[in-house]
Amino acid sequence: MSGRRLRDWAFWGLCGLAMLGSAAPAVSVLVSVVHQAAPVLDWSLLTRRSNAGGIENAVLGTLWLLLGVLVLAGSIGIGAGVYLAELATGRVARVLRFGSEVLAGMPSIVIGYIGYVTMVVGLHWGYSYLAGVIALSVLVLPYIVKTTEVALRQVPSALREGAVGLGMAHRQVIWRILLPPAAPAVVSGVVVALAISTGELAPLLFTVGFTDSNPSLAPLHQQVPYLTSVTFTDLSLPGARAHATAAAAGAASLAILVLLILLGRALSRRSRLATAQMTL
Amino acid sequence: MPEPPGGPAREPDRVANPAFEIADLAVSYGPRVALRGVHLTVRRHEVTALIGPSGCGKTTFLRCLNRMNDLVPGARVSGRVDFEGEPIYAPTARPIEIRRRVGMVFQRPNPFPKSIYDNVAIAPRLAGLRRGLNELVEESLTRAALWEEVKDKLRESAFSLSGGQQQRLCIARAIAVRPEVLLMDEPASALDPVATYAIEELIGQLKRDYTIVIVTHNMQQAARISDRTAFFTVEGTDTERAGVLVEVGPTAKIFANPSERRKEDSISGRFG
């Protein structure tokens, strides 16, 4: 075998190893979670609440929280991203971007604690849905802002010029011309934000509490159950059954994650098809 | 030495009701002066060609006529640009309104990532037009000499078209807003000779209905398609280079009888 071919093989071999190295943890987590959850894994899990060894209330609570984050962080994050990419100039933009980066680096437990001090105690909201949604939104906002801004900046400037040259108003240029091709990236930013929200425990620990009943629609003064809390609590309980339930809650989080990713792909497919042939 | 305003670049023969009347126009980007001292009259229903070496400010000049330079951070425009007698750089002027009346076609075809139909229909629709969109799309595509080629695939992506077809689509898109003027920035420079010929033919037809100002770096093209030619060049030393208008007049006259300045430029290999 020639030296060149040998180096070629070595290169691809290393690439393969690296791929394996990054995929293996994900696969092993998946397998071990499902394996540990196996003893309790059946559909009744989804119809019993946490006080009866199920996760119905936690699944509903997590989805309910995600919806809140989608609305709050989604709208504010995309709006701020558009503002940074299209309207902010000079110092204002620099200050906002700096703020967003600081926020991105803030430990989630700190966000949870600040949420506790300001909202749960300060505003007398008690452990509540709104406090949790706001804490999670603060946590994931930087991702949405950043991906929206970057996505808009990557739209070829020729499209912007073409639109402006036709006498479109700035608002129309943003909505009709710049956002559609940026949509796949924006959607994936929102999906990442929701995925992070699904797996977070720290911001919720101090803000929403937990309850064995299904989540109420009241935004204030009512505690909300969620999946990561079940995992966290049941793991610290004695007994194989509790541990299996903890694993089942983890598996449910993973399932939500996968669903989110699939949903994001389906949503962004249309605009991706439309922009695939862009050659500008 | 910069010529004083009203020097050789100013035309002696003034016309009544020109499309554009430009006086003492200067443009700078930050500290860099791109263009200065331009006096020019653009007549209605004529093709005015802007020619000159690269960096002479001809594109910058073109983009002053519909305030596209507003998009460039740090761009500063001084002097006077009157469109149909109204100063378009006055504080009360409305750039969006101006751009609807003064359409633009760019150097590279830049259709939107939408269907052929939507590319033409989007601007009139956003301007509030609801009825007669189909007719407007057909009329615009016909005027752009593209209708026959696309009438059976209006719902297909604009990117399914060839480069030359895309450029004609961009012309149709500009026409659909019913402008009075079309600004074209080297509209054929990214196209092959056949597509270039099609665009030149089209410009010949369009000038019946529109005033056209076209930037080209191709002297032969300017000679073929334009009624009047404005010749720009770069003036000044390295640190203070700026584009200036050297000469303007009927194309036939300009090409038959080039002035001393332009001969110098041509001989020194800066242009032509």
Side-chain angles (χ1 to χ4, degrees):
Chain A
M1 202 186 285
S2 72
R4 179 183 302 204
R5 284 195 60 181
L6 204 66
R7 284 199 296 276
D8 217 28
W9 275 88
F11 174 72
W12 288 117
L14 284 174
C15 285
L17 271 180
M19 211 282 285
L20 214 64
S22 56
V27 173
S28 90
V29 165
L30 205 68
V31 169
S32 87
V33 162
V34 174
H35 177 74
Q36 286 175 45
V40 295
L41 221 49
D42 69 86
W43 291 114
S44 72
L45 205 63
L46 294 177
T47 55
R48 283 177 287 127
R49 301 197 185 141
S50 47
N51 52 0
I55 56 171
E56 179 194 353
N57 55 334
V59 169
L60 290 176
T62 291
L63 292 176
W64 179 225
L65 285 167
L66 286 181
L67 185 69
V69 173
L70 175 67
V71 172
L72 187 68
S75 55
I76 295 179
I78 293 174
V82 169
Y83 181 81
L84 277 181
E86 284 296 312
L87 300 164
T89 49
R91 178 176 294 177
V92 181
R94 277 201 300 278
V95 168
L96 282 175
R97 239 171 249 129
F98 180 73
S100 182
E101 271 154 30
V102 168
L103 208 56
M106 180 130 26
S108 56
I109 189 82
V110 174
I111 292 174
Y113 181 68
I114 294 174
Y116 175 77
V117 172
T118 56
M119 295 182 285
V120 176
V121 178
L123 293 172
H124 306 290
W125 287 358
Y127 288 122
S128 61
Y129 175 72
L130 194 60
V133 166
I134 290 176
L136 278 178
S137 294
V138 167
L139 179 76
V140 299
L141 212 50
Y143 295 92
I144 303 180
V145 173
K146 190 83 199 166
T147 46
T148 304
E149 185 190 355
V150 170
L152 279 174
R153 285 189 187 285
Q154 279 174 349
V155 177
S157 61
L159 288 186
R160 176 198 322 269
E161 294 206 324
V164 171
L166 289 171
M168 290 189 201
H170 197 180
R171 158 183 55 85
Q172 296 172 330
V173 175
I174 293 171
W175 273 106
R176 304 304 183 100
I177 303 301
L178 301 180
L179 270 177
V186 174
V187 167
S188 71
V190 173
V191 167
V192 168
L194 291 180
I196 293 169
S197 305
T198 311
E200 270 296 342
L201 170 71
L204 297 175
L205 216 49
F206 295 128
T207 51
V208 301
F210 190 83
T211 165
D212 283 327
S213 45
N214 282 339
S216 80
L217 295 181
L220 300 177
H221 307 298
Q222 298 286 331
Q223 305 201 22
V224 184
Y226 57 100
L227 282 165
T228 42
S229 175
V230 174
T231 307
F232 178 65
T233 320
D234 283 20
L235 269 184
S236 53
L237 293 176
R241 193 157 179 88
H243 291 173
T245 309
S253 301
L254 283 172
I256 290 178
L257 219 67
V258 171
L259 283 178
L260 279 174
I261 291 167
L262 293 179
L263 192 71
R265 290 210 174 157
L267 280 178
S268 60
R269 177 166 295 140
R270 254 189 67 203
S271 35
R272 191 175 288 129
L273 279 179
T275 49
Q277 294 158 300
M278 250 203 296
T279 53
L280 291 165
Chain B
M1 278 297 289
E3 267 136 12
R10 174 172 265 170
E11 276 188 280
D13 52 338
R14 313 286 297 222
V15 291
N17 300 324
F20 285 101
E21 182 78 64
I22 295 109
D24 203 21
L25 180 72
V27 184
S28 50
Y29 299 116
R32 202 177 70 79
V33 180
L35 197 66
R36 61 173 144 77
V38 176
H39 293 264
L40 184 68
T41 303
V42 176
R43 301 178 178 200
R44 286 188 199 177
H45 296 286
E46 281 193 354
V47 177
T48 303
L50 312 177
I51 62 174
S54 41
C56 69
K58 52 194 192 294
T59 293
T60 295
F61 174 79
L62 189 76
R63 293 165 65 98
C64 287
L65 301 183
N66 67 345
R67 293 194 54 169
M68 281 299 277
N69 281 329
D70 291 13
L71 296 194
V72 183
R76 235 181 43 247
V77 178
S78 68
R80 199 178 165 90
V81 179
D82 286 0
F83 172 52
E84 297 292 339
E86 301 288 324
I88 66 173
Y89 280 94
T92 50
R94 286 153 54 197
I96 288 173
E97 186 63 32
I98 290 160
R99 293 185 195 118
R100 282 186 192 145
R101 295 173 64 191
V102 184
M104 192 158 204
V105 178
F106 297 83
Q107 195 166 357
R108 301 181 68 82
N110 59 347
F112 301 130
K114 297 177 185 296
S115 72
I116 293 168
Y117 182 95
D118 282 343
N119 262 278
V120 182
I122 184 165
R125 196 188 280 140
L126 289 179
L129 188 72
R130 288 288 170 272
R131 261 185 266 169
L133 262 181
N134 291 343
E135 292 76 11
L136 178 64
V137 168
E138 176 173 351
E139 182 202 319
S140 304
L141 285 167
T142 306
R143 284 185 180 219
L146 191 59
W147 175 250
E148 286 303 318
E149 290 159 69
V150 301
K151 64 182 177 190
D152 297 321
K153 50 175 188 176
L154 292 173
R155 295 289 160 196
E156 282 179 32
S157 163
F159 296 115
S160 67
L161 301 175
S162 73
Q165 288 174 322
Q166 288 186 15
Q167 193 62 303
R168 276 179 281 150
L169 178 64
C170 291
I171 293 174
R173 181 176 77 179
I175 289 173
V177 190
R178 300 200 185 285
E180 296 150 53
V181 181
L182 283 176
L183 307 178
M184 299 183 164
D185 186 3
E186 300 191 35
S189 66
L191 306 179
D192 62 61
V194 176
T196 300
Y197 177 73
I199 297 280
E200 288 183 7
E201 283 275 280
L202 177 57
I203 291 170
Q205 292 161 23
L206 289 174
K207 78 170 184 184
R208 278 190 306 236
D209 300 311
Y210 306 95
T211 303
I212 294 175
V213 185
I214 180 170
V215 169
T216 172
H217 57 216
N218 181 332
M219 296 247 268
Q220 284 74 34
Q221 186 172 64
R224 281 194 299 269
I225 62 175
S226 71
D227 302 299
R228 301 177 79 74
T229 297
F231 186 84
F232 289 76
T233 192
V234 192
E235 205 177 61
T237 53
D238 277 345
T239 45
E240 277 185 32
R241 292 164 72 85
V244 290
L245 174 64
V246 181
E247 202 184 349
V248 59
T251 299
K253 193 177 146 209
I254 291 264
F255 279 84
N257 191 10
S259 71
E260 287 307 310
R261 285 276 297 282
R262 198 153 63 79
K263 267 188 225 155
E264 255 171 58
D265 275 353
S266 303
I267 292 163
S268 61
R270 281 160 79 185
F271 185 70

